[in-house]
Every structure is written in structure tokens, then in C-alpha cells.
Amino acid sequence: MLHIVNKSPGERATLDSCLAHVRPGHSVLLIEDAVYAATKGHAAAAKIQAALATAKVFVLAADLEARARAGAVIDGVVQVDYKGFVELVTQNPRVQSWL
Amino acid sequence: MLHIVNKSPGERATLDSCLAHVRPGHSVLLIEDAVYAATKGHAAAAKIQAALATAKVFVLAADLEARARAGAVIDGVVQVDYKGFVELVTQNPRVQSWL
Amino acid sequence: MVNEGPYQRQSSDSAYLFCRAAIESGHQIERVFFYHDGVNNATKLTEPPQDDRNVVARWTKLAEEHGVDLVVCVAAALRRGIVEQNLAQGFRISGLGQLVESAIASDRLVVFGD
Amino acid sequence: MVNEGPYQRQSSDSAYLFCRAAIESGHQIERVFFYHDGVNNATKLTEPPQDDRNVVARWTKLAEEHGVDLVVCVAAALRRGIVEQNLAQGFRISGLGQLVESAIASDRLVVFGD
Amino acid sequence: MSEGAIKKFLFVNRKAPYGSVYALEGLEVVLISAAFDQDVGLAFLDDGVYQLAKGQNTKAIETKNFSPTYRALEGYDIEKLYVERESLEARGLTEDDLLVDVQVLGATEMAALMDEMDVMISF
Amino acid sequence: MSEGAIKKFLFVNRKAPYGSVYALEGLEVVLISAAFDQDVGLAFLDDGVYQLAKGQNTKAIETKNFSPTYRALEGYDIEKLYVERESLEARGLTEDDLLVDVQVLGATEMAALMDEMDVMISF
């Protein structure tokens, strides 16, 4: 299952809601303002780190670059482009957007 | 100074941002989905309680009633109608909406 | 200042009910400035369900009955497809300067948004 | 499924770039369903600044070049003033059943919103 | 998947009513879905649990009160209503505060439920 | 207040860029305000601090990069840029990550600054 989060953890609670429903083997994709969650020194980075123990975490490179944070991604999080986003959707039998 | 918060503390971080900038004697008005913050048993109610030590907290009755929470308001928080909202705006020399 | 469109969020409703209460309390609402998605309050093409409020129509009524100046920001409106052709009665399209001007001239500015 | 209007939030941009990448990867985008404020993507009256993207025009282009069915929810559209009169090319107005139908017929449904 | 197969739908409601239109327009999709003979369930979590609060009165905000519609869902054969326990607790609510009968699930069970679905539409 | 008096304006920026339009359209108001000879300041707090991040590149999201405009504010005599320290720290940012010179204030100082304003416009 693929979970998509699009809002900043500094603004909304959607990352927390998402992570509370991620099961082992699931994938999480951070897009739009949610990409900040996966950056070094961010208060939310520890939550992403914890999620990495059982799940895969991806982040959309285009949104990182727009926000000048591509160089600050924490270890273990994988950057993907839009085609990678499409692949994640096809590889996972179901998709939940945490809006 | 009047601070207005309109978003639920279960969804957004605006209540926290607001409370970090409330000075002694200030007023806080909760409208729309923010009214939930002032209800008994809510995880955010303790923050409102703490704010009441130095500031006044108001909540828009119309929004409480719509959400079936008018009977659950914590002690010390004052319910106002729209005319009360107008009075708060006129009584305070400045208004900050925490959007 | 209203920053959200009709129906999607409550901001426009809250702003309207606030304006009405202010007028009933004897205050003057000089201007309502519609910015961001707030410009969508100004379309005359809405047809909301019969059993719900008509957001656009009641702004128009407020303008007609109480002389409230309803100003839609031209830059935000062009981005979102609000033009003279679909502009509801009582609204006018103008520049951002009208917002700053109001802020200078009025005693209070209240922002309703998301 | 796109739930937010053009410019105000990034949802519509993300959805468009996702659709384009999917088509380039050889997948078929059967339908894009516009709901909530997403219906505002379908107005032909937008005139965005020259130096920025034209959200509406590129949806139209996607429909014309790749046969993507762009469906605007009629109930949401009536609330927000999107009608045949201001409907951009490539879009059509239809019922919510089209969303459920797509969800049944397609392998995947991705929701872009606020 | 063939045209005739029945899919498992879960509508995920996470927003409070009235502050935004998602609860109302979400409900409109749910009602339409009933016509398609699919296996339809509704999940309420986070602020979405407030949609089911008993005693909503929208007179003073001059907006339509659509909460009675949740009671009508049964008539559409939509009977699977799941509410997350943690979401209720964090808001000081209990099942008694809700206007319809629901099945209360913990977050872990909710996650397992989601993992069985074919389609999830979230508001 | 008489027509000729100068008011103290504070534009309060609390949203990240690109995810929503508030940063861009907020900047448009700021630029217009310069023409009115008022006392204008900008505050960046919460996710608003990200608006000033150095090195933004919007090519892959095909959206206009408006961050250079912050550098141009000086030319409009808008020189009071306040950034909240706590907001930077919670996001792992330092002043070196920002594309313009700013004055860093703690939340208490920011609250005091707000309390001196005549008008606050928030995005």
C-alpha cells in the first residue's frame, strides 16, 4: 500500500495520521509541502526515521528542488521523480492520500 | 490585541502558533473549526486552560452550536455571538488572524 | 479581507455574518476586499442547491442595502477566471492598492481565510 | 481526482505532472475527475501572468493530445459557478457517478487535494 | 478487473463539518456510490469523527445541517461505518455522542481494514 | 486616524512557498504597499521562513520561481524583514540558509513587535 502525504508537518497533522496507519512493508511518498518532513534538522525528521524501520519512505525530488531542500534529505529516504511516483502507484495495489 | 484562530487543533498548528504570541491581557477568539479546542476532554483543552491564566479566551457560539459542542465548553472560556465578535474587534486596537 | 471562495471553506460565511453583525451594531463596513480564492465569491454563475445559502447573492444584497464596496483583486481574479463577463452585481474589479488604501483609512482590518 | 482549484494550491499542478509522467511511461489515464474546488480548473476565463504556467490550458492540451476524459462534477460546479458558458475546451460536466464508475473500471485511483 | 466484479470501497472522512465542504461533498459521493452495487464502507478518523456528532444545529451559521443524512445511509444499504477509537478519545468524545451506530476500531485495526480495500477515496 | 498619518504595517507570512499561493500573492500585496509611503515590515514565522530559503529551483514543478523578488524588496525601501528564531530552529535552518539579510527575533520579541503595529495582514 502507498500512502501519500502532501502537507507540511509544521502546518498540519496529516503526517502523524498517515504514520499511525503505515503497516510493515508499506510505502510512504512525501510530495508538495510534505517534503520538508524528510529534511535534516526538522522536528519531524525523527518520525520519518522511526518509520524507516519497517516501511519505505520516498520523497518527490521536484518538490524538494523547488523548496531548496534537495541537499538536506535524511539518510534512508529515496528521492524519486514524477515517473518514480507513477511507478510507486503501479507497484502498490492501493493508494491512500492523507489530505 | 485580538488573536483569531479558525482551524481545528486536530488538523493544523495555528492554535500553537497563536498561543506562542499571546501577551498578558490579550484576547483570543476561536471561530469555525477552532472552537473544538475549547471543549472538555479535547487534547488541546489544556493549552487553552494555560492561556486563561494571563489572557481572555472567547469562542463563537454559532460555530459551537453547528458542531454540537456548545454544552462542552471548558470553564473560563466565554461564548459570544457575532455581535460579541464585532465588539471584540472594536475593543482591541489590533487584530491578528492566525490562518 | 476574504481569502477563500464560496462553499469550499467557511471563511466567506464567517466574513459575511461578521459584516452583517457589524452593520447591525451601528458600525460602517467600508469595503470587503476579495483576494486569493476569495475572488471566486464574485461569480454570478453559481446555482447552489435550493436548501442551502446563496453566498454570492447575499454579498450582492449587502452591497445594495448598505453601500458596502465589494472589491475583487484584479491579479488574483485573472488567475482564476473572474472577469467582467461573469462578475456578479455589487462587485467591482480593481487593484491591490484598494486593500492597502482601506487598511490606511479604516479603523480595523479583519482577515478571513484558510 | 483533483480537489483543488488552479493556483491557490499545488494539487492541480501535481495531478497534471503525474498524469503526464504516467502517459510518458506508457500508462493510460482514463479520466480526471474534478471535484470540490477542483471544478475551478475548468474555467476558460483565466488569464494567468505570461511568466507563469497556464493550468487550464495544459489540461485542455492533455485532453486533446492523449484523449484524457476531463470530467467536472455538476453539483460541485453549480455551487461554484462553472457552467457550459465558461467551460474550457476538453472538459465536460457530468455527475458524480462518473467518479465511482472510474474507480470501478480503473486499476488505480489517485486523489490530489488539500 | 472485469466490469462485473464487486470492489471494496472505503470512503475516508478526516475533516470536521462546516469549516470546509469536504464532509458534505464527501457524503454526496457516498450516496451516489450506493447505486453501483459495490461493497461500500465509511471510515471516520481524526476530525472526521465530528461529522457524526449528535445535536448539530446550524441555524446561527445559516448553513444547511446535513448531519441527518448519516442516519439515512442505512436506507441506501450503507451500513459499514467505522470510527477510530484514538480519534474519539483525543477529542473527549464517546460512542454516546454519535448520531448513528458505528463500529469502533483502534488505529491498528483501521490500518488493517484499509489494507484490504480495492479503492480508497479520501476527503 | 487622519488621511495623512503613516501607519505601521506588518505582513505576517506563515506559509511555505509553492504548496499554496499565499507566499506569492502575499508578496504582491507587499510590493503594492510600497507605493503608499507607510511604515512596512515583513514577519516570517512557522513555515513562512521557507519562503526565504536560498537556492529554490522550480524547473521540475514548472512553476514560476518568485524567490528573487525578496532580494528586490530593498529597492522598494522595504528593509524590515523579521524572522522568528524558533521557526528556523524547528526546521533545521540557520540564517545562512536564507537569501536575504534579516533580523532574527525570538517568539517573545515577535509578539512584542506585533503589539506595536497598526495593521497586520496575514497570509
mmCIF file of all heavy atoms in Angstrom, chain B residues 1 3 12-14 17 20-23 26 93-99, chain F residues 12 14-15 45-46 84 107-108 110-112 114-118 120 122:
data_model
loop_
_atom_site.group_PDB
_atom_site.id
_atom_site.type_symbol
_atom_site.label_atom_id
_atom_site.label_comp_id
_atom_site.label_asym_id
_atom_site.label_seq_id
_atom_site.Cartn_x
_atom_site.Cartn_y
_atom_site.Cartn_z
ATOM 1 N N MET B 1 -4.826 43.482 22.122
ATOM 2 C CA MET B 1 -4.757 42.820 20.812
ATOM 3 C C MET B 1 -5.656 41.597 20.793
ATOM 4 O O MET B 1 -5.752 40.863 21.773
ATOM 5 C CB MET B 1 -3.295 42.413 20.540
ATOM 6 C CG MET B 1 -3.086 41.675 19.229
ATOM 7 S SD MET B 1 -1.328 41.726 18.754
ATOM 8 C CE MET B 1 -1.262 40.336 17.623
ATOM 9 N N HIS B 3 -6.485 38.036 18.936
ATOM 10 C CA HIS B 3 -5.990 36.960 18.075
ATOM 11 C C HIS B 3 -7.181 36.110 17.644
ATOM 12 O O HIS B 3 -7.973 35.699 18.501
ATOM 13 C CB HIS B 3 -5.013 36.066 18.834
ATOM 14 C CG HIS B 3 -3.808 36.774 19.355
ATOM 15 N ND1 HIS B 3 -2.615 36.793 18.678
ATOM 16 C CD2 HIS B 3 -3.599 37.487 20.495
ATOM 17 C CE1 HIS B 3 -1.714 37.483 19.372
ATOM 18 N NE2 HIS B 3 -2.282 37.923 20.484
ATOM 19 N N ARG B 12 -4.534 21.480 12.286
ATOM 20 C CA ARG B 12 -3.483 22.445 11.973
ATOM 21 C C ARG B 12 -2.730 22.909 13.212
ATOM 22 O O ARG B 12 -3.215 22.765 14.337
ATOM 23 C CB ARG B 12 -4.108 23.697 11.338
ATOM 24 C CG ARG B 12 -4.997 23.360 10.197
ATOM 25 C CD ARG B 12 -4.531 23.954 8.924
ATOM 26 N NE ARG B 12 -5.610 23.785 7.951
ATOM 27 C CZ ARG B 12 -5.759 24.508 6.861
ATOM 28 N NH1 ARG B 12 -4.897 25.460 6.591
ATOM 29 N NH2 ARG B 12 -6.742 24.286 6.033
ATOM 30 N N ALA B 13 -1.619 23.558 12.973
ATOM 31 C CA ALA B 13 -0.777 24.039 14.056
ATOM 32 C C ALA B 13 -1.062 25.494 14.415
ATOM 33 O O ALA B 13 -0.332 26.084 15.199
ATOM 34 C CB ALA B 13 0.690 23.872 13.659
ATOM 35 N N THR B 14 -2.120 26.089 13.886
ATOM 36 C CA THR B 14 -2.314 27.530 14.085
ATOM 37 C C THR B 14 -2.611 27.914 15.530
ATOM 38 O O THR B 14 -2.224 28.990 15.965
ATOM 39 C CB THR B 14 -3.435 28.100 13.183
ATOM 40 O OG1 THR B 14 -4.609 27.296 13.326
ATOM 41 C CG2 THR B 14 -3.013 28.085 11.733
ATOM 42 N N SER B 17 0.729 28.279 17.190
ATOM 43 C CA SER B 17 1.406 29.498 16.734
ATOM 44 C C SER B 17 0.804 30.711 17.414
ATOM 45 O O SER B 17 1.526 31.602 17.880
ATOM 46 C CB SER B 17 1.254 29.665 15.219
ATOM 47 O OG SER B 17 1.798 28.564 14.546
ATOM 48 N N ALA B 20 1.698 31.029 21.198
ATOM 49 C CA ALA B 20 3.094 31.411 21.420
ATOM 50 C C ALA B 20 3.293 32.930 21.298
ATOM 51 O O ALA B 20 4.361 33.446 21.630
ATOM 52 C CB ALA B 20 4.001 30.679 20.433
ATOM 53 N N HIS B 21 2.271 33.626 20.814
ATOM 54 C CA HIS B 21 2.396 35.077 20.617
ATOM 55 C C HIS B 21 1.344 35.881 21.375
ATOM 56 O O HIS B 21 1.142 37.060 21.101
ATOM 57 C CB HIS B 21 2.342 35.407 19.117
ATOM 58 C CG HIS B 21 3.465 34.778 18.350
ATOM 59 N ND1 HIS B 21 3.395 33.505 17.838
ATOM 60 C CD2 HIS B 21 4.715 35.215 18.057
ATOM 61 C CE1 HIS B 21 4.539 33.199 17.245
ATOM 62 N NE2 HIS B 21 5.360 34.217 17.367
ATOM 63 N N VAL B 22 0.666 35.235 22.303
ATOM 64 C CA VAL B 22 -0.325 35.929 23.118
ATOM 65 C C VAL B 22 0.381 36.548 24.321
ATOM 66 O O VAL B 22 1.082 35.858 25.056
ATOM 67 C CB VAL B 22 -1.427 34.958 23.588
ATOM 68 C CG1 VAL B 22 -2.328 35.619 24.623
ATOM 69 C CG2 VAL B 22 -2.238 34.482 22.393
ATOM 70 N N ARG B 23 0.201 37.847 24.504
ATOM 71 C CA ARG B 23 0.819 38.529 25.652
ATOM 72 C C ARG B 23 -0.233 38.747 26.744
ATOM 73 O O ARG B 23 -1.438 38.707 26.470
ATOM 74 C CB ARG B 23 1.399 39.877 25.203
ATOM 75 C CG ARG B 23 2.352 39.743 24.021
ATOM 76 C CD ARG B 23 2.919 41.099 23.647
ATOM 77 N NE ARG B 23 4.114 41.412 24.408
ATOM 78 C CZ ARG B 23 4.608 42.647 24.545
ATOM 79 N NH1 ARG B 23 3.960 43.690 24.031
ATOM 80 N NH2 ARG B 23 5.720 42.857 25.222
ATOM 81 N N HIS B 26 -4.051 40.077 26.421
ATOM 82 C CA HIS B 26 -4.582 39.866 25.069
ATOM 83 C C HIS B 26 -5.862 39.031 25.114
ATOM 84 O O HIS B 26 -6.143 38.351 26.102
ATOM 85 C CB HIS B 26 -3.554 39.128 24.202
ATOM 86 C CG HIS B 26 -2.482 40.022 23.641
ATOM 87 N ND1 HIS B 26 -1.547 39.582 22.730
ATOM 88 C CD2 HIS B 26 -2.189 41.324 23.862
ATOM 89 C CE1 HIS B 26 -0.732 40.563 22.416
ATOM 90 N NE2 HIS B 26 -1.093 41.640 23.097
ATOM 91 N N PRO B 93 -7.218 47.311 19.768
ATOM 92 C CA PRO B 93 -6.654 48.201 18.741
ATOM 93 C C PRO B 93 -6.068 47.469 17.539
ATOM 94 O O PRO B 93 -5.860 48.075 16.493
ATOM 95 C CB PRO B 93 -5.563 48.966 19.499
ATOM 96 C CG PRO B 93 -5.237 48.129 20.696
ATOM 97 C CD PRO B 93 -6.496 47.391 21.048
ATOM 98 N N ARG B 94 -5.780 46.187 17.668
ATOM 99 C CA ARG B 94 -5.268 45.443 16.503
ATOM 100 C C ARG B 94 -5.739 44.000 16.528
ATOM 101 O O ARG B 94 -6.035 43.449 17.588
ATOM 102 C CB ARG B 94 -3.745 45.535 16.413
ATOM 103 C CG ARG B 94 -2.986 45.027 17.598
ATOM 104 C CD ARG B 94 -1.522 45.441 17.571
ATOM 105 N NE ARG B 94 -1.370 46.878 17.739
ATOM 106 C CZ ARG B 94 -1.370 47.497 18.935
ATOM 107 N NH1 ARG B 94 -1.504 46.803 20.040
ATOM 108 N NH2 ARG B 94 -1.253 48.796 19.033
ATOM 109 N N VAL B 95 -5.794 43.431 15.321
ATOM 110 C CA VAL B 95 -6.335 42.082 15.143
ATOM 111 C C VAL B 95 -5.352 41.258 14.314
ATOM 112 O O VAL B 95 -4.880 41.719 13.279
ATOM 113 C CB VAL B 95 -7.681 42.130 14.383
ATOM 114 C CG1 VAL B 95 -8.271 40.732 14.242
ATOM 115 C CG2 VAL B 95 -8.661 43.065 15.068
ATOM 116 N N GLN B 96 -5.066 40.056 14.786
ATOM 117 C CA GLN B 96 -4.211 39.162 14.002
ATOM 118 C C GLN B 96 -4.960 37.851 13.793
ATOM 119 O O GLN B 96 -5.353 37.180 14.751
ATOM 120 C CB GLN B 96 -2.880 38.928 14.739
ATOM 121 C CG GLN B 96 -2.096 37.691 14.339
ATOM 122 C CD GLN B 96 -1.547 37.743 12.902
ATOM 123 O OE1 GLN B 96 -1.681 38.741 12.206
ATOM 124 N NE2 GLN B 96 -0.954 36.652 12.471
ATOM 125 N N SER B 97 -5.175 37.512 12.509
ATOM 126 C CA SER B 97 -5.804 36.231 12.174
ATOM 127 C C SER B 97 -4.707 35.204 11.927
ATOM 128 O O SER B 97 -3.864 35.390 11.055
ATOM 129 C CB SER B 97 -6.663 36.374 10.922
ATOM 130 O OG SER B 97 -7.738 37.260 11.163
ATOM 131 N N TRP B 98 -4.727 34.132 12.703
ATOM 132 C CA TRP B 98 -3.718 33.067 12.540
ATOM 133 C C TRP B 98 -4.241 32.044 11.541
ATOM 134 O O TRP B 98 -4.869 31.061 11.928
ATOM 135 C CB TRP B 98 -3.386 32.432 13.891
ATOM 136 C CG TRP B 98 -2.703 33.415 14.789
ATOM 137 C CD1 TRP B 98 -3.293 34.286 15.649
ATOM 138 C CD2 TRP B 98 -1.289 33.662 14.867
ATOM 139 N NE1 TRP B 98 -2.337 35.066 16.258
ATOM 140 C CE2 TRP B 98 -1.099 34.702 15.798
ATOM 141 C CE3 TRP B 98 -0.164 33.107 14.232
ATOM 142 C CZ2 TRP B 98 0.167 35.195 16.129
ATOM 143 C CZ3 TRP B 98 1.094 33.602 14.551
ATOM 144 C CH2 TRP B 98 1.255 34.637 15.482
ATOM 145 N N LEU B 99 -3.999 32.301 10.259
ATOM 146 C CA LEU B 99 -4.563 31.462 9.203
ATOM 147 C C LEU B 99 -3.652 30.296 8.861
ATOM 148 O O LEU B 99 -2.502 30.274 9.211
ATOM 149 C CB LEU B 99 -4.817 32.325 7.969
ATOM 150 C CG LEU B 99 -5.713 33.537 8.200
ATOM 151 C CD1 LEU B 99 -5.775 34.383 6.945
ATOM 152 C CD2 LEU B 99 -7.105 33.099 8.595
ATOM 153 N N VAL F 12 2.360 39.308 7.773
ATOM 154 C CA VAL F 12 2.761 38.114 8.516
ATOM 155 C C VAL F 12 2.709 36.901 7.595
ATOM 156 O O VAL F 12 1.628 36.473 7.169
ATOM 157 C CB VAL F 12 1.842 37.910 9.740
ATOM 158 C CG1 VAL F 12 2.295 36.707 10.544
ATOM 159 C CG2 VAL F 12 1.819 39.167 10.607
ATOM 160 N N ARG F 14 3.261 33.049 7.009
ATOM 161 C CA ARG F 14 3.358 31.821 7.796
ATOM 162 C C ARG F 14 3.254 30.548 6.955
ATOM 163 O O ARG F 14 3.233 29.460 7.495
ATOM 164 C CB ARG F 14 2.277 31.822 8.894
ATOM 165 C CG ARG F 14 2.464 32.938 9.935
ATOM 166 C CD ARG F 14 1.464 32.826 11.080
ATOM 167 N NE ARG F 14 1.353 31.453 11.499
ATOM 168 C CZ ARG F 14 0.357 30.627 11.152
ATOM 169 N NH1 ARG F 14 -0.621 31.059 10.374
ATOM 170 N NH2 ARG F 14 0.350 29.399 11.565
ATOM 171 N N LYS F 15 3.214 30.676 5.628
ATOM 172 C CA LYS F 15 3.027 29.500 4.773
ATOM 173 C C LYS F 15 4.244 29.255 3.888
ATOM 174 O O LYS F 15 4.880 30.190 3.415
ATOM 175 C CB LYS F 15 1.805 29.700 3.867
ATOM 176 C CG LYS F 15 0.518 30.071 4.621
ATOM 177 C CD LYS F 15 -0.356 28.892 4.950
ATOM 178 C CE LYS F 15 -1.501 29.261 5.864
ATOM 179 N NZ LYS F 15 -2.668 29.780 5.156
ATOM 180 N N LEU F 45 7.295 33.614 9.991
ATOM 181 C CA LEU F 45 7.322 32.637 11.076
ATOM 182 C C LEU F 45 6.687 31.347 10.609
ATOM 183 O O LEU F 45 6.152 31.263 9.513
ATOM 184 C CB LEU F 45 6.679 33.163 12.360
ATOM 185 C CG LEU F 45 5.369 33.903 12.403
ATOM 186 C CD1 LEU F 45 4.778 33.807 13.811
ATOM 187 C CD2 LEU F 45 5.543 35.361 12.082
ATOM 188 N N ASP F 46 6.807 30.310 11.452
ATOM 189 C CA ASP F 46 6.344 28.971 11.079
ATOM 190 C C ASP F 46 6.906 28.624 9.692
ATOM 191 O O ASP F 46 8.033 28.962 9.401
ATOM 192 C CB ASP F 46 4.811 28.908 11.132
ATOM 193 C CG ASP F 46 4.294 29.184 12.566
ATOM 194 O OD1 ASP F 46 5.019 28.848 13.527
ATOM 195 O OD2 ASP F 46 3.215 29.745 12.716
ATOM 196 N N GLU F 84 11.459 34.560 12.722
ATOM 197 C CA GLU F 84 11.393 34.043 14.084
ATOM 198 C C GLU F 84 12.393 32.905 14.304
ATOM 199 O O GLU F 84 12.443 31.939 13.537
ATOM 200 C CB GLU F 84 9.968 33.566 14.392
ATOM 201 C CG GLU F 84 9.793 33.242 15.867
ATOM 202 C CD GLU F 84 8.329 33.124 16.250
ATOM 203 O OE1 GLU F 84 7.646 34.162 16.309
ATOM 204 O OE2 GLU F 84 7.879 31.993 16.476
ATOM 205 N N ALA F 107 10.321 34.369 19.713
ATOM 206 C CA ALA F 107 8.855 34.475 19.673
ATOM 207 C C ALA F 107 8.349 35.592 20.589
ATOM 208 O O ALA F 107 7.390 36.298 20.251
ATOM 209 C CB ALA F 107 8.223 33.140 20.060
ATOM 210 N N THR F 108 8.987 35.769 21.742
ATOM 211 C CA THR F 108 8.569 36.816 22.673
ATOM 212 C C THR F 108 8.761 38.198 22.065
ATOM 213 O O THR F 108 7.890 39.074 22.184
ATOM 214 C CB THR F 108 9.391 36.715 23.977
ATOM 215 O OG1 THR F 108 9.454 35.346 24.366
ATOM 216 C CG2 THR F 108 8.774 37.540 25.077
ATOM 217 N N MET F 110 8.895 38.777 18.846
ATOM 218 C CA MET F 110 7.951 38.883 17.726
ATOM 219 C C MET F 110 6.580 39.313 18.237
ATOM 220 O O MET F 110 5.908 40.149 17.615
ATOM 221 C CB MET F 110 7.860 37.527 17.011
ATOM 222 C CG MET F 110 7.042 37.534 15.745
ATOM 223 S SD MET F 110 7.755 38.531 14.402
ATOM 224 C CE MET F 110 8.871 37.337 13.620
ATOM 225 N N ALA F 111 6.179 38.732 19.371
ATOM 226 C CA ALA F 111 4.879 39.095 19.952
ATOM 227 C C ALA F 111 4.853 40.572 20.346
ATOM 228 O O ALA F 111 3.857 41.266 20.146
ATOM 229 C CB ALA F 111 4.580 38.214 21.161
ATOM 230 N N ALA F 112 5.978 41.055 20.883
ATOM 231 C CA ALA F 112 6.062 42.460 21.276
ATOM 232 C C ALA F 112 6.002 43.366 20.045
ATOM 233 O O ALA F 112 5.343 44.420 20.049
ATOM 234 C CB ALA F 112 7.357 42.704 22.051
ATOM 235 N N MET F 114 4.515 42.688 17.194
ATOM 236 C CA MET F 114 3.127 42.702 16.698
ATOM 237 C C MET F 114 2.271 43.680 17.498
ATOM 238 O O MET F 114 1.388 44.340 16.955
ATOM 239 C CB MET F 114 2.525 41.295 16.800
ATOM 240 C CG MET F 114 3.124 40.307 15.813
ATOM 241 S SD MET F 114 2.402 38.661 16.032
ATOM 242 C CE MET F 114 2.953 37.872 14.516
ATOM 243 N N ASP F 115 2.568 43.747 18.783
ATOM 244 C CA ASP F 115 1.764 44.576 19.679
ATOM 245 C C ASP F 115 1.955 46.074 19.429
ATOM 246 O O ASP F 115 1.245 46.902 19.984
ATOM 247 C CB ASP F 115 2.118 44.237 21.129
ATOM 248 C CG ASP F 115 0.876 44.012 21.982
ATOM 249 O OD1 ASP F 115 -0.236 44.206 21.463
ATOM 250 O OD2 ASP F 115 1.020 43.648 23.154
ATOM 251 N N GLU F 116 2.919 46.425 18.582
ATOM 252 C CA GLU F 116 3.170 47.840 18.264
ATOM 253 C C GLU F 116 2.576 48.254 16.922
ATOM 254 O O GLU F 116 2.686 49.408 16.513
ATOM 255 C CB GLU F 116 4.689 48.091 18.167
ATOM 256 C CG GLU F 116 5.418 48.032 19.482
ATOM 257 C CD GLU F 116 6.923 47.999 19.244
ATOM 258 O OE1 GLU F 116 7.373 48.229 18.097
ATOM 259 O OE2 GLU F 116 7.661 47.716 20.211
ATOM 260 N N MET F 117 1.998 47.298 16.225
ATOM 261 C CA MET F 117 1.536 47.564 14.858
ATOM 262 C C MET F 117 0.178 48.266 14.814
ATOM 263 O O MET F 117 -0.601 48.202 15.751
ATOM 264 C CB MET F 117 1.423 46.237 14.081
ATOM 265 C CG MET F 117 2.749 45.565 13.869
ATOM 266 S SD MET F 117 3.830 46.573 12.820
ATOM 267 C CE MET F 117 5.327 46.611 13.818
ATOM 268 N N ASP F 118 -0.087 48.924 13.682
ATOM 269 C CA ASP F 118 -1.425 49.456 13.439
ATOM 270 C C ASP F 118 -2.253 48.472 12.617
ATOM 271 O O ASP F 118 -3.450 48.325 12.834
ATOM 272 C CB ASP F 118 -1.339 50.801 12.683
ATOM 273 C CG ASP F 118 -0.700 51.884 13.539
ATOM 274 O OD1 ASP F 118 -1.172 52.062 14.671
ATOM 275 O OD2 ASP F 118 0.267 52.511 13.084
ATOM 276 N N MET F 120 -2.144 44.471 10.735
ATOM 277 C CA MET F 120 -1.458 43.223 10.415
ATOM 278 C C MET F 120 -2.245 42.496 9.346
ATOM 279 O O MET F 120 -3.448 42.297 9.472
ATOM 280 C CB MET F 120 -1.325 42.351 11.657
ATOM 281 C CG MET F 120 -0.082 42.754 12.459
ATOM 282 S SD MET F 120 0.087 41.830 13.956
ATOM 283 C CE MET F 120 -1.183 42.625 14.912
ATOM 284 N N SER F 122 -2.236 38.963 7.297
ATOM 285 C CA SER F 122 -1.596 37.659 7.414
ATOM 286 C C SER F 122 -1.962 36.762 6.248
ATOM 287 O O SER F 122 -3.082 36.804 5.736
ATOM 288 C CB SER F 122 -2.019 37.010 8.725
ATOM 289 O OG SER F 122 -3.399 37.187 8.953
#
